[in-house]
Amino acid sequence: MTDIRIDEDVLIPMSDGVTLSARIWRPLSADAQPVPAVLETIPYRKRDHTRPRDETLHRWLAERGYASVRVDIRGSGESGGVLENEYLARELEDGYALIEWLAAQPWCDGGVGMIGISWGGFNGLQIAAMQPPALKAVVSVCATDDRYADDIHTMGGCLLSDNLSWSSVMFAFNSLPPDPQLRGQGWRSIWQQRLEANAPWLMEWLEHPQRDDYWRHGSVCEDYAAIRCPVLAVSGWADGYTNAVFRLLANLEVPCQGIVGPWSHRYPHLGEPGPAIGFQSLVTDWWDRWLKGERNGVDEAPRLRAWIQDADPPATAYGERPGRWVAEAHWPTPAVQVRTLHPHGDGSLAQTPANDSAGRLRLDSPLGLGLFAGKWCSYADGPDLPDDQRKEMSGGLVFETEPLEAPLELLGAPRLRIRLRAEQPCGQIIVRLCDTAPDGATTRVSYGVLNLRHREGHDRPQDLVAGSDYDVSVPLNHLGHRFAVGHRLQMALSTAYWPLIWPEPEAGPLSIDPAATGLELPVRAPTGPDHSPVFPAAPDYAPLRAVQRVAPTQAWRVHHELGGNAASLEVIQDNGTRTLEDVDLTLGDATREVYHQVEGDPARVSGEVVADFQLGRGDWQVATRTRTRLEADAEAFYLSAELDAWESDRRVFSRNWQRRIPRRDG
């Protein structure tokens, strides 16, 4: 390994005078022998919150001959300016400028790559589409090409409750100050500027319920051809961003590879559920090929490498998922063919269509069908995966195959084509694909949702006409799953999935025509022995570990108020208190979410998120509390929010918001 130096706080000027703060790991020899640079730029505070994780990747790359650079985007961490929203043009211009700055440094050979997970995976693709000359390749992990179709805000045109949750997370992060150890006496004025500019982004997001220019900005699917450098796209089956990997593979014209493991929203070397892989070695090989020009065979790897999960009992958290790696040289692949199953009025699911004379089926689900659905995007920080789906069967339509006589392997995106009729102008349809074991335990393996007003497209919502038939297509999330002999494939339909998605205000029952309905499955045919890809094992490489002072607590609790016919889901994510000894900094953060509903009244649902953050060193102690509450009726959303900040025991800032945001069609 190469000896390295670490520069803790390098200030990089932007064109408008704002300086961004970078932490740079690079070989000692780079001053005499310049090396390529790898950039990650995100808002999650390199000085404290991502510091241990950063060490597992950026130090590794520096020790293997790269200048690895972690930048706080403007308005976050130790960088100047304010952070006003996600992926704004100013942020992307900053990213372009950072690449130019890196390429011009005497210790850089002029070649730059971008890497990132989530926010950093997004802006890596977005900046690649701007075509900075020095950007030679991108690694995008747990990210999306389409900010409307596959992001934390909406799914199938339905408002996700994670829209509230994520806005609240950023509301809290944006309330934090820089470290006075690096910014001196100026830290307090920077903090005050951030507090004054901070506001819940949810207020703006709710103004855009359709796929308009607001969401098209930053969605590289608008012009895949704009990306002209190689892309490695990575995700996991428990992540919320899996679908984008397959779209990138199908549409990018540059060298592109995809890896999908069993993981949640994490880098694969830290992947849970496992098995994790040696992702650091993998990306080192990627950079060696595209930044150093080594002919190491990376560009000869299969287009797609995916973990096919075996049947496993349902659980809200897994240490590891059983399965195996498979490879496909191309995507789409001829190895995957569509097989259609049809629902019947007796609850069966078969390859033969239902008889044309079969009666229609009524679908009218209780509002609380969804309390055991888990999180839209799992972080593996608690019990956030879907529970046994037997708890979600009441009030839906359930169809099952006979016990399978041979294994059935699926790889790709299922799709339901369904004929339905509504009694009201709006509605939702939810489709769950499940694996039912011989003992009845039922594991959700994929699902899809659709706002029925969006049946013709997310940019042109149309009311339903009562009594009219509609042929609707509902895409489900991609999956890689192997149904075992003796198991049953189950399809469950519902009209509600709260709190994962927000209910429509006037939703009501649907009637289904089983004779005109089919579930299309992406069946991967047996092709002989798989030449399974082999990944390096995840190393025990954690150069920096936080010392836990107060233990973390995670919990998901469902509360039923039988007397009031109400229910709520409480989510506690308390990361405890930990100390980063190398910078003598103690931090803590705890979030509590509560989603409440009264059965039979979709206009009486609410969500509330409260987040408490602390930072401290000796006599310097700061804390913030943010609270965001969202309610709705048929006419509008009602948002209330609070922000309070303390230095030691003195409150230094307080602000409240009250907003009424009209509900628009869609």
Side-chain angles (χ1 to χ4, degrees), residues 164-339:
L164 165 63
S165 174
W166 182 243
S167 172
S168 303
V169 167
M170 292 311 302
F171 191 27
F173 264 102
N174 292 340
S175 71
L176 297 177
D179 189 339
Q181 198 172 75
L182 298 181
R183 290 294 162 269
Q185 291 302 311
W187 76 271
R188 196 176 279 108
S189 62
I190 297 172
W191 189 25
Q192 187 68 27
Q193 181 189 26
R194 290 181 185 175
L195 292 170
E196 293 285 353
N198 197 4
W201 295 349
L202 181 63
M203 293 187 295
E204 187 171 1
W205 295 344
L206 290 173
E207 297 278 1
H208 299 274
Q210 303 161 22
R211 194 177 193 280
D212 56 14
D213 288 342
Y214 183 85
W215 301 114
R216 291 187 184 98
H217 167 76
S219 293
V220 299
C221 64
E222 293 292 309
D223 183 10
Y224 287 110
I227 297 178
R228 298 182 183 176
C229 65
V231 173
L232 176 61
V234 183
S235 188
W237 298 124
D239 182 41
Y241 296 94
T242 319
N243 300 326
V245 173
F246 295 87
R247 288 195 299 267
L248 290 167
L249 293 178
N251 290 286
L252 286 183
E253 299 170 358
V254 294
C256 180
Q257 294 173 19
I259 300 172
V260 181
W263 318 300
S264 63
H265 199 69
R266 294 191 175 194
Y267 274 124
H269 59 286
L270 305 171
E272 291 183 40
I277 62 172
F279 184 65
Q280 306 103 313
S281 296
L282 193 74
V283 296
T284 301
D285 291 343
W286 181 261
W287 300 132
D288 286 349
R289 172 65 185 95
W290 301 115
L291 295 184
K292 293 184 177 179
E294 296 182 7
R295 296 290 179 178
N296 56 8
V298 161
D299 46 339
E300 299 171 6
R303 188 82 164 171
L304 172 66
R305 287 167 283 182
W307 181 259
I308 301 294
Q309 296 185 153
D310 288 335
D312 209 18
T316 55
Y318 296 93
E320 291 206 355
R321 295 297 302 265
R324 76 189 195 287
W325 288 103
V326 301
E328 295 293 346
H330 308 282
W331 191 266
T333 171
V336 173
Q337 299 292 322
V338 173
R339 181 184 303 174

Side-chain angles (χ1 to χ4, degrees), residues 262-496:
W263 318 300
S264 63
H265 199 69
R266 294 191 175 194
Y267 274 124
H269 59 286
L270 305 171
E272 291 183 40
I277 62 172
F279 184 65
Q280 306 103 313
S281 296
L282 193 74
V283 296
T284 301
D285 291 343
W286 181 261
W287 300 132
D288 286 349
R289 172 65 185 95
W290 301 115
L291 295 184
K292 293 184 177 179
E294 296 182 7
R295 296 290 179 178
N296 56 8
V298 161
D299 46 339
E300 299 171 6
R303 188 82 164 171
L304 172 66
R305 287 167 283 182
W307 181 259
I308 301 294
Q309 296 185 153
D310 288 335
D312 209 18
T316 55
Y318 296 93
E320 291 206 355
R321 295 297 302 265
R324 76 189 195 287
W325 288 103
V326 301
E328 295 293 346
H330 308 282
W331 191 266
T333 171
V336 173
Q337 299 292 322
V338 173
R339 181 184 303 174
T340 302
L341 299 180
H342 302 272
H344 290 248
D346 61 0
S348 63
L349 193 60
Q351 294 190 49
T352 56
N355 190 291
D356 287 344
S357 63
R360 302 181 73 96
L361 303 175
R362 181 179 171 84
L363 179 60
D364 189 10
S365 305
L367 184 58
L369 197 161
L371 287 168
F372 300 94
K375 201 165 183 63
W376 175 82
C377 179
S378 169
Y379 295 89
D381 286 329
D384 63 0
L385 293 172
D387 205 349
D388 191 326
Q389 295 297 284
R390 288 178 291 186
K391 299 176 181 178
E392 303 275 34
M393 288 184 182
S394 176
L397 292 174
V398 178
F399 308 92
E400 281 190 334
T401 65
E402 292 296 316
L404 297 176
E405 297 179 355
L408 177 65
E409 187 165 297
L410 305 185
L411 179 61
R415 181 177 294 271
L416 177 69
R417 299 191 186 276
I418 183 170
R419 180 170 295 169
L420 53 79
R421 184 183 300 167
E423 300 174 9
Q424 63 288 321
C426 63
Q428 298 168 327
I429 183 75
I430 296 89
V431 188
R432 288 173 286 139
L433 181 62
C434 303
D435 185 330
T436 300
D439 65 359
T442 303
T443 304
R444 196 190 74 194
V445 297
S446 182
Y447 73 106
V449 307
L450 180 65
N451 179 342
L452 292 175
R453 281 176 165 158
H454 287 224
R455 63 194 178 277
E456 300 295 335
H458 298 308
D459 57 347
R460 47 186 187 278
Q462 301 174 25
D463 282 354
L464 298 162
V465 176
S468 296
D469 279 338
Y470 296 94
D471 290 317
V472 173
S473 175
V474 187
L476 280 68
N477 287 335
H478 287 72
L479 78 161
H481 186 81
R482 183 177 183 271
F483 291 81
V485 172
H487 285 229
R488 299 172 186 259
L489 186 147
Q490 180 192 100
M491 179 181 73
L493 307 179
S494 64
T495 57

